[in-house]
Amino acid sequence: MRLVLASGNPDKVREIKEILRDIEVLPLSSFVDEFEIEESGLTFRENAYIKVQKAFELTGLPSLADDTGLVVHGLHGMPGVFSSRFAGENAGYEANRRKLLEALRGMPLSARRAYFICVVAFMEKPGEVRFFEGKVEGFITKEPRGDGGFGYDPIFLYPPLGRTFAELSLREKNRVSHRYRALSRFREYLNESGLSR
Amino acid sequence: MRLVLASGNPDKVREIKEILRDIEVLPLSSFVDEFEIEESGLTFRENAYIKVQKAFELTGLPSLADDTGLVVHGLHGMPGVFSSRFAGENAGYEANRRKLLEALRGMPLSARRAYFICVVAFMEKPGEVRFFEGKVEGFITKEPRGDGGFGYDPIFLYPPLGRTFAELSLREKNRVSHRYRALSRFREYLNESGLSR
């Protein structure tokens, strides 16, 4: 099976290819030279929908999109859909992490409870979209730790392993992550519906 | 005691005046003919801060601001700080409610768990801001019910009374609401610090 992936983020593409190993995943950038997808939605589903719709429209092939974010209890769900631009449109991973740590300063431990959520949207035929969600719970640390992963990984503590996501190898992260969980559900769907062949 | 209230929403002003009955609350609009405060923050604290800072700057008097929103579990915290403009900048209460009900369609009951949060910011001296939070938990109904309240009140079920916030009188709502709870904490602070005299 071949799938078009509506993402321009190389970190995401790498993880998704590693998780969906036996499926041929073609980044949208291999079809079109430039594309701009405005992630203007206020929910993960809206954004995943916007992206998958665009990929399908541009290629006509079965398409996949992923919208991901970090939902922090003490910030009442933020940064959420703004995770990649919490500190501003082009602020980058480090500035986003800094803003998050700053916002949580002085708050009780319960405020640091958080989860990563990944919503995957799959479009096989025009207008038919299916969503698959994956979630992983943890805590926001006070300081970054580890060099792996990307985004908020260095400040996201995964309690069952006592390490941040940035302290896990790509392999390890891809066995427990929100993205892995969402894509596992997607793969189950492919198997059950016979689409994976 | 006299307080300037940084709000242009008459529904909010009415509730706050009712709750803080013995305090003289002066809406910012009674000092300046027109003011525009951009609620550009991504957290309730940021927005409350922006507003209280503006009121203090314009009047030099002890100022109060309130930022409020509905945090829905199945939408990972949304509409949150976008509660008043979930369906678009000038969409209004009804369109916002409709968008929320639509987004939750087909989701399990747990997705309908929600809470209202109110963050009150108080500035007495330049640069010194204190925050007070109030929260009330409930569920999003499938249909609006009741004519009272405003905003999301008709679809917010308050389980201890088995009614939506729009089915409560202003009096009843003001005994249990997020806004009441935040303002009670604020009043406690005033009493303890001797500022209420």
Side-chain angles (χ1 to χ4, degrees):
Chain A
M1 169 170 219
R2 293 168 70 197
L3 274 180
V4 179
L5 179 62
S7 178
N9 180 332
D11 292 316
K12 271 194 191 182
V13 174
R14 190 166 42 106
E15 283 195 7
I16 293 171
K17 283 192 163 192
E18 157 90 16
I19 296 170
L20 293 179
R21 232 181 269 200
D22 49 332
I23 293 176
E24 198 184 342
V25 177
L26 308 163
L28 184 51
S29 58
S30 63
F31 291 86
V32 278
D33 274 350
E34 269 184 59
F35 60 96
E36 179 109 21
I37 304 181
E38 219 208 326
E39 302 184 23
S40 55
L42 287 178
T43 66
F44 297 106
R45 283 195 182 204
E46 279 183 287
N47 281 333
Y49 183 86
I50 293 168
K51 289 187 266 190
V52 82
Q53 159 92 29
K54 188 76 177 179
F56 190 88
E57 183 195 310
L58 290 172
T59 65
L61 296 172
S63 298
L64 198 71
D66 142 323
D67 202 54
T68 299
L70 179 65
V71 174
V72 180
H73 188 70
L75 303 182
H76 308 294
M78 281 290 144
V81 288
F82 295 91
S83 292
S84 63
R85 49 200 156 120
F86 191 37
E89 212 48 68
N90 293 301
Y93 295 149
E94 209 197 315
N96 289 331
R97 290 196 294 262
R98 243 185 291 123
K99 176 164 175 182
L100 179 60
L101 294 179
E102 185 51 42
L104 287 172
R105 210 153 50 119
M107 289 198 183
L109 179 64
S110 63
R112 294 182 172 268
R113 265 176 41 214
Y115 62 85
F116 271 124
I117 171 88
C118 174
V119 174
V120 161
F122 174 57
M123 189 180 254
E124 205 215 336
K125 295 181 195 123
E128 255 183 53
V129 178
R130 276 167 201 278
F131 295 101
F132 306 89
E133 295 196 12
K135 200 168 152 173
V136 58
E137 306 208 18
F139 284 89
I140 305 304
T141 58
K142 293 200 168 180
E143 299 281 340
R145 247 168 55 187
D147 305 312
F150 63 97
Y152 296 95
D153 285 350
I155 57 172
F156 182 82
L157 184 82
Y158 178 61
L161 295 177
R163 284 182 283 163
T164 69
F165 263 16
E167 292 177 305
L168 305 181
S169 68
L170 182 56
R171 258 301 221 340
E172 285 174 311
K173 184 184 166 191
N174 281 346
R175 270 200 290 264
V176 296
S177 78
H178 47 305
R179 188 162 285 119
Y180 165 75
R181 288 171 196 195
L183 290 172
S184 298
R185 292 199 174 116
F186 166 60
R187 179 193 291 279
E188 256 170 56
Y189 165 75
L190 287 185
N191 292 343
E192 280 167 16
S193 61
L195 284 172
S196 55
R197 273 159 291 158
Chain B
M1 172 172 218
R2 292 168 68 198
L3 273 180
V4 180
L5 179 62
S7 179
N9 180 332
D11 294 315
K12 271 192 191 182
V13 174
R14 188 167 44 104
E15 284 194 6
I16 293 170
K17 282 191 162 192
E18 158 89 16
I19 296 170
L20 293 179
R21 235 181 267 202
D22 50 329
I23 294 175
E24 196 184 346
V25 177
L26 308 163
L28 185 51
S29 58
S30 63
F31 291 86
V32 279
D33 274 349
E34 271 184 58
F35 59 96
E36 178 110 21
I37 304 179
E38 220 210 323
E39 302 185 23
S40 54
L42 287 178
T43 67
F44 297 105
R45 283 195 181 205
E46 277 182 289
N47 281 333
Y49 183 85
I50 292 168
K51 289 187 266 190
V52 83
Q53 159 91 28
K54 188 76 177 180
F56 190 89
E57 183 195 309
L58 290 171
T59 66
L61 296 171
S63 299
L64 197 71
D66 143 322
D67 201 55
T68 300
L70 179 65
V71 174
V72 180
H73 187 69
L75 302 182
H76 308 294
M78 280 291 142
V81 288
F82 295 90
S83 292
S84 63
R85 50 197 155 122
F86 191 37
E89 211 48 68
N90 294 301
Y93 294 149
E94 209 198 314
N96 289 331
R97 291 195 293 264
R98 243 184 292 124
K99 176 165 175 180
L100 180 59
L101 294 179
E102 184 52 40
L104 286 172
R105 211 153 50 117
M107 288 197 184
L109 179 65
S110 63
R112 294 180 171 270
R113 267 176 41 215
Y115 62 85
F116 270 122
I117 172 88
C118 174
V119 174
V120 160
F122 174 58
M123 189 180 254
E124 206 214 333
K125 296 182 194 119
E128 255 183 53
V129 178
R130 275 167 201 277
F131 296 101
F132 307 88
E133 296 197 10
K135 198 168 152 174
V136 57
E137 306 208 19
F139 283 89
I140 305 305
T141 58
K142 292 201 170 180
E143 299 282 340
R145 247 168 55 186
D147 305 312
F150 62 96
Y152 295 94
D153 286 350
I155 56 171
F156 183 81
L157 184 83
Y158 179 60
L161 296 176
R163 284 182 282 163
T164 69
F165 263 17
E167 292 178 306
L168 305 181
S169 68
L170 182 56
R171 260 272 182 47
E172 285 173 310
K173 183 184 167 191
N174 281 345
R175 269 201 291 264
V176 296
S177 78
H178 48 302
R179 188 162 286 118
Y180 166 76
R181 288 171 196 196
L183 290 171
S184 298
R185 294 203 171 113
F186 166 60
R187 179 194 290 279
E188 257 170 56
Y189 165 74
L190 288 185
N191 292 343
E192 280 166 17
S193 61
L195 284 172
S196 55
R197 275 158 292 159

